[in-house]
Amino acid sequence: MKNFLDQNFLLETSTAQILFQEYAAALPIIDYHCHLPPDQIAANSNFENLTQIWLYGDHYKWRAMRANGIPEKYITGDASDWEKFEKWAETVPFTFRNPLYHWTHLELQRYFDIYEILSPATARQIYDECSAKLKTPEYSIQRMIERMNVESIGTTDDPLDDLVFHQKIKADGFSVKVRPSFRPDKAMNADNLGELQAYILKLAAVSGFEINTFSQYLLALKSRHDHFAENDCVVSDHGLEQLCYEDYTDSEIDQIFIKILNRGALSPIEILKFKSCMLLNLAHWDHEKGWVQQYHLGAIRNNNSRLLSELGPDTGFDSMGDFSQSRGMSRFLNKLDSTNRLAKTIIYNLNPADNEMFATMAGNFNDGTVPGKIQFGSAWWFLDQKFGMVDQINSLSSMGLLSRFVGMITDSRSFMSYPRHEYFRRILCNLIGNDVENGELPNDIQWLGKMVQNICYFNAKNYFKS
């Protein structure tokens, strides 16, 4: 029997152990998509206790606590930090086989050198020890990032952001490169005209452009795209239910935009045409600048209207959707490719039923100009766990080239999420090791080790020019 979370955790064979320990484990981390707050990185402050760094804003944990019958007072309510942690410690034993159980104990080990199992019996000791460490200089936010051997970070930022915190991080000489990513979801959200109209007014104020027409709107938004480029941005990101493309004319979009300004009702086809036009223009700008564009597809958000009204978005009430993805994705990517303006692109799938479709769709638009130009992105959100990662890796291996894969992301708001890269690397090495031991791959450790290193680090470094 193996010990829990020992050095060979998830590594079932001696080949897997060699691949991980000798080739993958020590590689730096390129976290090219996450939701870490740049203002906190810039401040380089310390957290007061373990609850603040571990439970604040972590909707993964909040969902588990609610499922365990914990009242909201102890999740997002006014209970003390210790009381919230105590309730999390009560919940942890019930998360077995959920990735939270592995992540919780990996994070305690990697950040705090704590190897006890978190439970009500150990909660006070662990809370006090970790909280004491978190107050020391060695546990400031920047030092914790460095502790995990992170080389670069891609945050997720709205076009209206002035990027002053990214500028401060760079000016202060932080050893880890922290780059913004251009996330224009709010700029094209024609499903909510009130919010979109308010966004247009804010954009006019930030950009200094008068916005009375669609062409003026594009100019103002393009100025923000340029501002991001001037501040080391090389990536755009979109969180969408579906990629779409519907043919439109310029005059149609002009009329639709007038309706938006006047908050006139839009038909479903008008919404589709407006989104298509916005996606196409944004993609053209990405191509002109040589950026990588990312599309995170398939989440159905804010399902619980009662708790959304009480707690707001991003509080744990999103799930996988079952949207039809293939036709719209094909039309959109083909439209860009037909004019030779398809940038390097990563498509992320949230519904595992669509894994093979995503993998084969990426293959349609690889054109030999860049290795792995169109990527079937890593398992994310609800799929960034053992089974989801295995399924994504297997689909990519079967339908494309795993050897050109740009690897894992955290997609996280937590400064303690970096062991997820280790989790991915162990799973990857285990799959390859099993193939070797089953006679499905040659026992050429040097060749396989190089492939592992590429997937875990070098492919992303080259792809993003990190």
Side-chain angles (χ1 to χ4, degrees):
M1 179 185 297
K2 292 184 177 181
N3 293 323
F4 176 65
L5 277 181
D6 66 7
Q7 65 177 356
N8 292 323
F9 170 59
L10 295 176
L11 305 172
E12 298 172 334
T13 65
S14 60
T15 304
Q17 293 164 15
I18 292 169
L19 288 172
F20 178 73
Q21 301 293 351
E22 297 186 13
Y23 291 92
L27 290 171
I29 290 171
I30 296 177
D31 190 23
Y32 52 87
H33 173 73
C34 71
H35 297 272
L36 293 180
D39 58 329
Q40 293 187 31
I41 299 175
N44 192 29
S45 55
N46 287 72
F47 289 92
E48 292 183 11
N49 57 56
L50 187 52
T51 298
Q52 289 186 9
I53 191 172
W54 227 12
L55 296 179
Y56 281 23
D58 192 335
H59 51 81
Y60 287 84
K61 294 185 178 72
W62 295 350
R63 286 170 68 97
M65 293 171 76
R66 292 179 188 126
N68 199 42
I70 303 298
E72 197 66 31
K73 171 183 178 180
Y74 300 99
I75 302 171
T76 61
D78 60 0
S80 69
D81 285 347
W82 159 247
E83 289 173 319
K84 290 178 178 178
F85 184 81
E86 190 175 28
K87 294 299 183 183
W88 169 238
E90 289 179 17
T91 300
V92 166
F94 294 92
T95 67
F96 81 106
R97 300 204 86 239
N98 184 298
L100 285 167
Y101 196 80
H102 286 160
W103 295 347
T104 292
H105 294 100
L106 276 174
E107 289 164 12
L108 287 173
Q109 288 185 13
R110 300 299 178 263
Y111 287 92
F112 301 104
D113 296 318
I114 289 176
Y115 289 82
E116 284 83 8
I117 302 299
L118 180 58
S119 69
T122 60
R124 186 81 242 185
Q125 174 190 345
I126 289 174
Y127 182 81
D128 289 346
E129 181 176 343
C130 292
S131 297
K133 288 180 176 179
L134 284 167
K135 295 175 183 177
T136 65
E138 292 77 14
Y139 281 82
S140 71
I141 286 173
Q142 291 186 11
R143 300 293 83 76
M144 290 186 72
I145 293 172
E146 291 173 334
R147 178 189 296 267
M148 290 296 106
N149 197 21
V150 179
E151 181 176 291
S152 64
I153 292 171
T155 61
T156 304
D157 310 275
D158 189 272
L160 302 184
D161 197 311
D162 60 12
L163 305 182
V164 63
F165 296 112
H166 291 84
Q167 294 165 1
K168 183 179 188 307
I169 293 166
K170 183 177 181 180
D172 289 348
F174 181 35
S175 64
V176 178
K177 185 180 295 184
V178 181
R179 286 172 158 170
S181 300
F182 191 80
R183 179 77 172 248
D185 295 354
K186 294 179 181 178
M188 52 178 286
N189 184 21
D191 296 298
N192 190 318
L193 293 182
E195 290 184 3
L196 181 54
Q197 188 181 58
Y199 190 87
I200 293 168
L201 293 174
K202 291 177 183 176
L203 175 62
V206 169
S207 67
F209 282 76
E210 184 179 22
I211 302 178
N212 296 311
T213 65
F214 183 67
S215 60
Q216 290 173 331
Y217 184 52
L218 285 183
L219 285 172
L221 196 58
K222 177 67 160 53
S223 73
R224 303 309 302 163
H225 198 271
D226 294 340
H227 176 67
F228 272 59
E230 292 163 1
N231 284 274
D232 299 327
C233 180
V234 296
V235 178
S236 70
D237 187 68
H238 304 259
L240 306 169
E241 291 182 352
Q242 302 161 285
L243 269 175
C244 61
Y245 184 77
E246 181 71 26
D247 285 328
Y248 58 86
T249 66
D250 291 343
S251 61
E252 284 178 318
I253 301 301
D254 288 341
Q255 292 303 311
I256 292 169
F257 192 71
I258 294 300
K259 283 189 177 182
I260 291 171
L261 290 179
N262 295 322
R263 212 176 295 188
L266 298 182
S267 68
I269 191 65
E270 287 177 319
I271 293 173
L272 181 58
K273 289 186 175 186
F274 179 75
K275 288 182 176 179
S276 298
C277 179
M278 290 297 296
L279 281 170
L280 198 65
N281 278 280
L282 290 162
H284 288 168
W285 301 342
D286 292 345
H287 181 266
E288 289 168 4
K289 290 185 172 71
W291 287 9
V292 174
Q293 55 192 14
Q294 302 179 100
Y295 299 97
H296 286 82
L297 306 174
I300 181 167
R301 300 173 188 269
N302 304 322
N303 294 271
N304 190 322
S305 58
R306 176 178 63 85
L307 290 173
L308 174 67
S309 66
E310 293 178 16
L311 303 175
D314 300 322
T315 49
F317 304 105
D318 309 320
S319 66
M320 293 180 190
D322 57 354
F323 308 104
S324 176
Q325 298 285 2
S326 59
R327 285 291 181 186
M329 190 187 310
S330 174
R331 286 170 61 84
F332 176 67
L333 296 176
N334 186 60
K335 182 67 177 179
L336 292 171
D337 185 77
S338 66
T339 58
N340 199 29
R341 286 192 280 184
L342 178 57
K344 288 185 287 187
T345 301
I346 308 176
I347 48 176
Y348 299 88
N349 174 40
L350 196 57
N351 189 330
D354 292 328
N355 276 352
E356 282 74 21
M357 184 276 288
F358 270 66
T360 56
M361 187 64 69
N364 292 333
F365 297 98
N366 278 310
D367 56 12
T369 58
V370 177
K373 176 181 177 181
I374 312 300
Q375 293 271 331
F376 173 30
S378 63
W380 69 294
W381 203 340
F382 296 107
L383 299 181
D384 62 352
Q385 30 76 9
K386 178 181 176 181
F387 304 109
M389 291 182 195
V390 168
D391 286 348
Q392 187 271 344
I393 291 170
N394 283 337
S395 295
L396 175 55
S397 300
S398 299
M399 309 292 172
L401 295 181
L402 176 63
S403 55
R404 292 299 187 182
F405 182 35
V406 293
M408 187 58 182
I409 55 174
T410 61
D411 189 40
S412 175
R413 292 171 172 80
S414 171
F415 288 104
M416 287 180 58
S417 64
Y418 283 108
R420 294 183 197 178
H421 280 261
E422 176 187 338
Y423 201 61
F424 165 81
R425 292 174 181 184
R426 287 177 178 272
I427 289 168
L428 173 69
C429 291
N430 189 61
L431 285 172
I432 297 172
N434 284 343
D435 283 351
V436 172
E437 306 251 348
N438 289 332
E440 297 176 53
L441 284 172
N443 187 20
D444 185 339
I445 292 296
Q446 187 173 5
W447 167 61
L448 293 171
K450 179 60 176 175
M451 290 298 180
V452 164
Q453 290 181 326
N454 287 341
I455 295 165
C456 295
Y457 174 70
F458 289 104
N459 287 347
K461 188 173 182 67
N462 292 329
Y463 193 78
F464 294 95
K465 295 179 169 43
S466 295

